Amino acid sequence: MKIVSVVGARPNFMKIAPFIRAIDKFNSGQRKIENILVHTGQHYDERMSEAFFRDLGIPEPEINLGIGSGTHAEQVGKTMIEFEKVLRQHNPDWVVVVGDVNATLACSVTAKKENVKVCHIEAGLRSGDMTMPEEINRLVTDRLSDLLLVPDEISLANLRAEGVPEKRMKLVGNIMIDTLNANIKEARRIKLIDIIENNFNHESFLSGYKEIGNKDRFVLLTLHRPSNVDKREVLEALVSFLTGEVVRAMKIIWPMHPRTENNLKEFGLWEKICCNSEIFVLHPVSYRESIRLNSLSKVVLTDSGGLQEECTVLGTPCITLRFNTERPVTLREHGGASVLTGSNIGAIKREFRKAVKAGQNPHRPLLWDGRTAMRCVKAIVNFRSM
Ligand code: UD1
C-alpha cells in the first residue's frame, strides 16, 4: 500500500509525527506501507516549521511544495497545482490529511479529483462558524473523505447527524495526545529560564526574568486567530486588559505568532507590549517548550485549539478567547479545562479572576490515551469501501 501524507502548517506537525512512527512500527511486521511525506510549505520559518521536525523526530519530507504565505485562494490554488503533479507521479492508494489548515482542504480536493482515496485524521470537528477559514476546510474535507478518523464522541455525533455512513468513520481518539504523551517526560526537564533565554524577542523589555523560577506561576498567552488579531479595536481592547489587570496579578509569557507581531506593529500597539516589564514576548517556541510552559503556568489565555486540548489533559485552567469552539470536549461542562469568553473583556475578566484561584484539573476524554496513531494505521489498512 502506498500513502501520501500531508502537512502544511504548525498544528499539523504534532499530528503527523505519531502517524509516521506508527507506520514504522506496523512495517516491522509482515505487511509494508510505503509512506511519502509531503510538506506544502505554508509554514516555512525555522521556528514555525523546521524546529518542529527536529523536536518531534519527523523525517525530512520527501517533497516540499514551497507554497509560502499568501491569501487563502493563493495558498489553496498553488497547493492544488503542485499536489496534482505529486499524485500523478507517485500514484498512491491513499492521501492522508490531518487537521483543518489550507493544506488539508487543497490536498483532499486534489486527491478526490485524481480518484485517490482520502483519509482525514481529526474528522468531525464543527464550530458552526462559517467565518473561520478552518471550518470551511473541515466541512469540505470531511464531505470528500472516504475514511473519517474521529477524535471524540461529540465529533462522531456531528458526522452521524450529517449522515456519514458508519462504515466510513471510526472513533480513534486524539492523535495530538500521542505526541503529548511521547514528549511530556523530556519537556519536564526543560528549565523555564532556558525557554525565555532561547526564545526571547529582543525588541521586548528584558528585566526581572531571572526572578521567574520554575515554581513561580505566570499566565501563558497565545493569540493568532484572524478574529482576534486582524481587527484593531479587538486587539486594542485585549492589549489594554493584558497591560492592566493581568500584569497586576502575574507576569505574562507570550510566544508570539508572526501574524500577531505584524498586526501589533501595524496598529501601533507593539510598544505597549514590548516595553512592559511584566510581559515577556518570545518568538514561537518549540513543541516541548510549549508543553513545559503550559504545565508551569497558572492560567492559559489562548485562541488555539491545540492548547485547549493540551490544557484539558495537563489540567491547566484555560480561557479560550473565542465565541465558539470545534472542540467542545475540552470545555468544563464536558470535564475539560477550558471556558469560552470570545474577545468580550467583561467575560475574560470574570473568568480570569476565577482561574487564578482554581487548581489543576487533568482530564482525558475517551481514547485520548496515546495510542491513537496505530488505530489510524489499522483503520486505513482494514478499510473496505463496500
Ligand atoms: C494557519 C492555519 C491555522 C493554524 C495556524 C497555526 C489556515 C487557514 N490557518 O494560520 O488554522 O491554527 O496556521 O499557526 O491554514 N508567517 C511567517 N512564517 C511562517 C508562516 C507564516 O512569518 O512560517 C506569517 C506570514 O506573514 C503570514 C502569516 O504569518 O502571512 C499568517 O500565516 P498563514 O499561514 O497565512 O496562516 P496562520 O495565521 O499561521
Side-chain angles (χ1 to χ4, degrees):
M1 175 183 289
K2 194 193 256 192
I3 295 177
V4 165
S5 52
V6 177
V7 290
R10 188 170 59 175
N12 291 162
F13 307 141
M14 304 69 138
K15 295 169 195 166
I16 217 67
F19 181 70
I20 291 177
R21 261 200 316 280
I23 290 179
D24 288 344
K25 197 164 167 202
F26 184 86
N27 282 346
S28 62
Q30 287 243 305
R31 295 169 70 180
K32 294 278 180 263
I33 298 171
E34 182 189 350
N35 180 45
I36 299 170
L37 179 62
V38 174
H39 188 341
T40 67
Q42 177 177 345
H43 284 177
Y44 45 84
D45 279 359
E46 154 71 26
R47 285 175 185 273
M48 296 293 281
S49 180
E50 281 153 55
F52 283 81
F53 278 75
R54 274 199 309 277
D55 217 21
L56 301 175
I58 309 171
E60 185 83 8
E62 273 85 352
I63 300 162
N64 191 319
L65 305 181
I67 300 307
S69 299
T71 66
H72 287 269
E74 283 166 350
Q75 283 184 338
V76 171
K78 282 186 197 163
T79 305
M80 288 181 72
I81 292 167
E82 295 308 316
F83 193 60
E84 186 182 62
K85 294 177 197 160
V86 172
L87 294 182
R88 289 187 179 176
Q89 186 188 342
H90 292 280
N91 202 17
D93 302 293
W94 284 93
V95 165
V96 174
V97 292
V98 296
D100 55 18
V101 303
N102 287 337
T104 316
L105 167 79
C107 295
S108 53
V109 174
T110 312
K112 281 318 285 177
K113 284 182 178 268
E114 290 294 302
N115 283 321
V116 178
K117 288 194 288 292
V118 173
C119 168
H120 183 204
I121 299 180
E122 202 187 72
L125 275 63
R126 296 289 181 269
S127 68
D129 179 356
M130 292 298 282
T131 66
M132 279 182 84
E134 294 82 0
E135 184 71 357
I136 301 162
N137 296 346
R138 287 180 206 116
L139 282 166
V140 176
T141 303
D142 283 348
R143 186 69 186 84
L144 295 179
S145 291
D146 297 273
L147 177 59
L148 296 96
L149 300 176
V150 185
D152 62 81
E153 291 165 297
I154 299 173
S155 303
L156 195 64
N158 291 339
L159 293 176
R160 281 197 180 118
E162 290 174 16
V164 176
E166 293 294 325
K167 61 175 191 267
R168 281 181 39 213
M169 56 189 183
K170 191 169 174 55
L171 180 65
V172 291
N174 187 340
I175 201 160
M176 286 274 281
I177 306 307
D178 290 23
T179 302
L180 180 66
N181 279 13
N183 286 276
I184 190 74
K185 225 167 134 191
E186 283 294 314
R188 289 215 167 101
R189 298 208 179 99
I190 306 176
K191 289 204 181 79
L192 181 56
I193 201 158
D194 290 336
I195 301 178
I196 296 177
E197 288 186 346
N198 290 342
N199 299 286
F200 202 72
N201 181 326
H202 285 283
E203 289 178 47
S204 176
F205 190 88
L206 181 60
S207 156
Y209 76 103
K210 293 204 167 151
E211 291 153 26
I212 312 193
N214 273 353
K215 284 200 200 89
D216 289 296
R217 292 296 177 103
F218 53 86
V219 174
L220 171 63
L221 170 67
T222 81
L223 273 184
H224 76 283
R225 299 262 164 217
S227 56
N228 282 325
V229 305
D230 283 4
K231 284 203 203 93
R232 178 194 297 269
E233 57 288 3
V234 175
L235 197 53
E236 198 158 27
L238 284 170
V239 165
S240 111
F241 166 66
L242 295 168
T243 53
E245 174 156 351
V246 178
V247 297
R248 281 198 295 277
M250 258 179 281
K251 294 199 189 298
I252 299 175
I253 298 185
W254 189 351
M256 201 179 279
H257 191 283
R259 174 195 281 276
T260 310
E261 182 170 339
N262 292 343
N263 288 354
L264 283 167
K265 287 178 177 166
E266 194 185 317
F267 301 151
L269 297 168
W270 176 244
E271 263 65 42
K272 290 197 175 149
I273 296 297
C274 74
C275 297
N276 194 308
S277 59
E278 303 303 302
I279 303 178
F280 300 121
V281 181
L282 307 185
H283 295 296
V285 293
S286 73
Y287 176 76
R288 285 185 190 148
E289 289 171 332
S290 169
I291 294 299
R292 184 60 173 151
L293 288 174
N294 188 334
S295 64
L296 287 171
S297 64
K298 179 76 189 161
V299 183
V300 168
L301 285 177
T302 190
D303 59 10
S304 146
L307 260 109
Q308 263 174 265
E309 295 176 340
E310 287 154 3
C311 283
T312 291
V313 171
L314 296 172
T316 318
C318 175
I319 299 174
T320 301
L321 305 174
R322 291 179 47 194
F323 289 105
N324 49 55
T325 179
E326 62 288 341
R327 295 168 163 89
V329 72
T330 66
L331 296 177
R332 269 192 231 141
E333 53 262 41
H334 294 289
S338 158
V339 61
L340 297 176
T341 60
S343 51
N344 177 328
I345 301 296
I348 303 172
K349 272 189 187 161
R350 272 195 305 281
E351 292 302 333
F352 180 69
R353 284 169 199 161
K354 276 194 231 163
V356 168
K357 290 191 207 124
Q360 309 286 105
N361 184 22
H363 167 68
R364 281 179 188 260
L366 183 67
L367 300 182
W368 290 29
D369 57 2
R371 296 203 291 267
T372 293
M374 190 51 95
R375 289 187 199 106
C376 294
V377 172
K378 288 188 176 157
I380 295 171
V381 170
N382 296 329
F383 179 83
R384 299 285 169 267
S385 56
M386 296 310 285

